[in-house]
């Protein structure tokens, strides 16, 4: 009961409630983030880039977050401003003046979102065209084959002890001619196929290991034997679908040595979560040694690349040649 005898308790000022909410939020943020490395904050959750192309993706990610934050601050500010400065007075009960069909405001909230979407579309299209550009002839070509539930890696290389030609090998018939034209001459090649139970001997991470040379432009030619998968090397900040009957490709230049995680990023069936792999970036000399070791093990030639091109994809390839 209040001192004046009323059963109604005095209302707390709005400022006090707001201060308490802000204090609780600050305590929660600091308590849960005490182990956070603030040097990683500018990447906004992205891993450290490990290719020459990855910073472009990171920049697009950061720009999108900056735009989203600016829009969020504006919207939150308008909501709070309306809630605090246009709330009904306790001493007045009349309905406040109503505003309808304010054309300048309606034009503003129609035009501004269009401008925001157009700017985001421009930067996305610009970066996508750069990232998917395969006009430069690669130093190394790897045919990545996805299948339920692991990966095969066909190294399109001229390797001692491996005879044949990748351009005419029947196991690579699923790959269009426009990609084969950049294959090395008389590339007998080697392959490495995995199973979900494989382990990387250094990190003990599950899945087969794809070896790549540091500082060399690597083209990934992606094919599937069964359903749609997605080839994602996490610190490359780049992934692309692996589609049966249709070939995708992109290329990167690894610039940091180490063993990195990769996974399938497309729900492809009951054991999708087991479609993991590793990417080991080493010196060019160690890479050459590795492909020779595969040849010495008898893993010469190529594993079947996948399903034959569909009619739709054949027409698309014909138009691009």
């Amino acid at each position: 009961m209040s001192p004046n005898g009323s059963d109604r308790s005095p209302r707390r000022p709005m400022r006090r409630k707001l201060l308490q909410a802000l204090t609780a939020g600050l305590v929660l943020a600091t308590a849960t983030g005490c182990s956070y490395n603030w040097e990683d904050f500018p990447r906004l959750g992205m891993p450290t880039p490990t290719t020459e192309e990855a910073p472009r993706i990171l920049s697009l990610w950061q720009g999108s977050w900056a735009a989203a934050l600016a829009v969020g601050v504006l919207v939150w500010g308008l909501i709070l401003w309306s809630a605090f400065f246009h709330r009904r007075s306790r001493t007045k009960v009349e309905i406040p003046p109503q505003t309808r069909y304010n054309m300048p405001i309606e034009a503003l909230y129609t035009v501004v979102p269009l401008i925001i979407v157009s700017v985001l579309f421009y930067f996305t299209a610009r970066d996508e065209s750069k990232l998917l550009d395969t006009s430069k002839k690669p130093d190394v070509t790897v045919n990545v084959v996805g299948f339920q539930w692991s990966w095969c890696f066909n190294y399109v290389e001229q390797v001692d002890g491996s005879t044949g030609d990748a351009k005419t090998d029947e196991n690579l018939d699923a790959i269009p001619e426009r990609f084969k034209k950049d294959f090395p001459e008389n590339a007998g090649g080697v392959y490495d196929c995995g199973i979900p139970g494989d382990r990387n001997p250094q990190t003990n991470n599950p899945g087969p290991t794809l070896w790549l040379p540091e500082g060399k432009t690597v083209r990934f030619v992606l094919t599937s034997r069964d359903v749609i998968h997605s080839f994602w090397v996490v610190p490359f900040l780049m992934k692309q679908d692996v589609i049966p009957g249709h070939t995708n490709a992109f290329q990167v230049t690894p610039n940091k040595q180490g063993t990195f995680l990769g996974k399938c990023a497309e729900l492809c069936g009951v054991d999708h979560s087991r479609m993991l792999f590793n990417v080991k970036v080493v010196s060019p000399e160690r890479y050459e040694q590795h492909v020779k070791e595969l040849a010495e093990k008898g893993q010469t030639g190529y594993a079947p690349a996948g399903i034959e091109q569909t009619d739709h994809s054949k027409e698309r390839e014909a138009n691009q040649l």
Side-chain angles (χ1 to χ4, degrees):
M1 188 176 233
S2 61
N4 59 8
S6 173
D7 290 331
R8 296 178 60 191
S9 60
R11 296 182 178 180
R12 294 181 179 179
M14 185 63 69
R15 291 180 182 177
R16 185 177 177 183
K17 290 183 178 181
L18 181 60
L19 180 60
Q20 290 176 340
L22 292 175
T23 303
L26 181 61
V27 170
L28 180 63
T30 55
T32 58
C34 57
S35 62
Y36 186 81
N37 187 354
W38 289 102
E39 294 179 356
D40 298 334
F41 180 75
R43 295 199 305 274
L44 301 172
M46 284 286 196
T48 302
T50 59
T51 68
E52 293 182 3
E53 295 77 13
R56 178 182 292 273
I57 303 174
L58 179 60
S59 177
L60 181 62
W61 173 259
Q62 292 168 324
S64 299
W65 267 100
L69 180 61
V71 172
V73 169
L74 175 62
V75 172
W76 297 332
L78 290 174
I79 291 174
L80 292 174
W81 177 75
S82 300
F84 282 104
F85 295 99
H86 290 277
R87 66 185 186 277
R88 192 184 71 175
S89 173
R90 299 174 186 171
T91 60
K92 298 179 181 180
V93 295
E94 68 271 12
I95 298 176
Q98 303 296 298
T99 301
R100 295 188 179 92
Y101 308 112
N102 188 305
M103 291 305 297
I105 293 180
E106 292 188 14
L108 181 67
Y109 65 62
T110 301
V111 173
V112 170
L114 288 175
I115 293 175
I116 294 173
V117 172
S118 299
V119 171
L120 290 174
F121 176 82
Y122 165 76
F123 285 106
T124 301
R126 182 200 65 179
D127 291 343
E128 183 180 2
S129 64
K130 289 287 185 181
L131 293 167
L132 297 181
D133 182 19
T134 57
S135 59
K136 177 184 176 182
K137 189 172 182 178
D139 300 310
V140 174
T141 299
V142 180
N143 169 217
V144 177
V145 185
F147 62 93
Q148 296 171 318
W149 310 97
S150 195
W151 305 86
C152 276
F153 306 118
N154 286 323
Y155 298 89
V156 185
E157 295 273 340
Q158 293 177 343
V159 185
D160 293 339
S162 179
T163 59
D165 188 353
K167 295 182 178 181
T168 58
D169 193 299
E170 62 180 9
N171 285 326
L172 303 182
D173 284 346
I175 299 177
E177 292 299 324
R178 68 188 183 98
F179 295 116
K180 289 184 177 180
K181 66 182 178 64
D182 288 331
F183 285 179
E185 296 294 333
N186 302 316
V190 290
Y191 69 89
D192 191 11
C193 287
I195 60 174
D198 286 342
R199 292 276 175 176
N200 181 275
Q202 285 78 38
T203 64
N204 201 38
N205 290 327
T209 300
L210 168 64
W211 290 58
L212 300 176
E214 180 188 17
K216 300 293 184 179
T217 300
V218 181
R219 177 178 296 174
F220 298 112
V221 180
L222 311 177
T223 55
S224 171
R225 294 181 189 171
D226 37 52
V227 299
I228 297 178
H229 304 282
S230 184
F231 179 71
W232 180 25
V233 184
V234 178
F236 286 8
L237 310 188
M238 178 74 177
K239 61 184 176 182
Q240 196 169 43
D241 281 349
V242 185
I243 304 174
H246 174 82
T247 303
N248 282 328
F250 70 95
Q251 52 196 48
V252 298
T253 305
N255 58 8
K256 183 178 180 180
Q257 293 189 23
T259 302
F260 311 110
L261 295 177
K263 60 183 70 178
C264 175
E266 185 80 29
L267 182 59
C268 55
V270 65
D271 281 335
H272 159 71
S273 62
R274 302 182 69 196
M275 282 200 63
L276 307 174
F277 63 95
N278 304 276
V279 175
K280 185 168 185 174
V281 179
V282 296
S283 66
E285 295 77 18
R286 182 66 184 91
Y287 170 79
E288 293 298 330
Q289 181 183 345
H290 175 69
V291 295
K292 290 179 181 178
E293 291 171 353
L294 292 177
E296 292 171 358
K297 292 179 182 178
Q299 297 173 218
T300 56
Y302 300 100
I307 296 174
E308 185 180 358
Q309 293 283 94
T310 60
D311 291 338
H312 173 76
S313 292
K314 287 179 180 178
E315 293 176 1
R316 176 177 175 271
E317 300 296 340
N319 293 331
Q320 291 182 346
L321 288 175

